[in-house]
């Protein structure tokens, strides 16, 4: 059994990465993430087991966060998509489940023209935020979370 179980959670409109607006979100999909994590973690890669889940609905995401709590998941890498900017309900869930979470965005949300993307309800409830590195954002978040778990 791996030392750390990490849930990689994707919210709305993130089920078709690689196809969705590749000029913003790139041409790689979530299938590429395990390889990127392996490359980044090198000899520590065996310490982590990744589970992937994507849902378009806010309720399904909250249900999955509650399940992660019941399962005793070590950490969460969470790209909540547009819910990042609108969902007090997701922020409320992160506030009580007691699992360290890294907020992730593929694009650099602060460099985008729609100012609503510059706001995050989640940010105050997470360990940190990684944005703007394309699909690598997920692998960087896994590595950051592992370092955090090692030292907590
Ligand atoms: C996103 C940024 C959000 O503003 C947007 O609604 C998404 C994806 C990103 O990964 O860059 O769906 O979270």
């Amino acid at each position: 059994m791996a030392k750390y179980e990490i849930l990689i959670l994707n919210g709305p409109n993130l089920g078709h990465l690689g196809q969705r607006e590749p000029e913003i979100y790139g041409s790689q999909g979530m299938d590429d993430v395990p390889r990127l994590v392996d490359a980044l973690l090198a000899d520590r890669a065996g310490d982590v087991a990744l589970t992937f889940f994507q849902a378009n609905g806010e309720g399904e995401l909250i249900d999955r966060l509650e399940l992660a709590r019941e399962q005793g998941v070590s950490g969460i890498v969470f790209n909540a998509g547009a819910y990042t900017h609108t969902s007090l309900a997701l922020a409320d869930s992160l506030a009580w489940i007691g699992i360290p979470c890294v907020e992730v965005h593929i694009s650099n949300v602060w460099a985008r023209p729609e100012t609503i993307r510059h706001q995050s309800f989640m940010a105050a409830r997470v360990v940190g935020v990684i944005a703007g590195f394309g699909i690598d954002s997920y692998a960087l978040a896994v590595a950051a979370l592992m370092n955090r778990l090692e030292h907590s």
Side-chain angles (χ1 to χ4, degrees):
M1 206 180 122
K3 202 164 155 191
Y4 303 113
E5 306 274 332
I6 292 181
L7 171 64
I8 300 191
L9 191 55
N10 271 327
N13 300 306
L14 293 165
H16 294 88
L17 286 175
Q19 296 167 56
R20 175 191 176 193
E21 299 177 279
E23 67 286 3
I24 298 173
Y25 299 111
S27 54
Q28 290 177 291
M30 290 306 289
D31 292 355
D32 292 297
V33 171
R35 183 179 48 78
L36 296 169
V37 168
D38 283 354
L40 200 58
L41 294 182
D43 56 358
R44 291 193 304 158
D47 289 349
V48 67
L50 303 176
T51 302
F52 292 83
F53 184 81
Q54 189 271 332
N56 290 321
E58 200 174 23
E60 286 166 277
L61 292 166
I62 293 169
D63 288 346
R64 191 64 188 83
L65 289 167
E66 291 179 359
L67 178 63
R69 175 180 172 270
E70 281 158 32
Q71 293 172 330
V73 163
S74 329
I76 299 171
V77 169
F78 194 5
N79 185 349
Y83 285 142
T84 307
H85 319 300
T86 62
S87 178
L88 184 58
L90 282 174
D92 281 354
S93 178
L94 291 172
W96 81 274
I97 60 168
I99 305 174
C101 178
V102 176
E103 176 181 334
V104 158
H105 300 286
I106 297 163
S107 63
N108 177 356
V109 283
W110 296 281
R112 295 183 61 177
E114 305 96 334
T115 50
I116 192 169
R117 293 189 204 276
H118 307 168
Q119 133 186 328
S120 168
F121 278 93
M122 295 168 57
R125 304 297 186 182
V126 297
V127 173
V129 181
I130 295 179
F133 294 94
I135 210 84
D136 280 336
S137 291
Y138 292 91
L140 292 165
V142 170
L145 199 45
M146 274 191 71
N147 285 348
R148 174 72 174 229
L149 291 166
E150 298 276 13
H151 300 111
S152 63

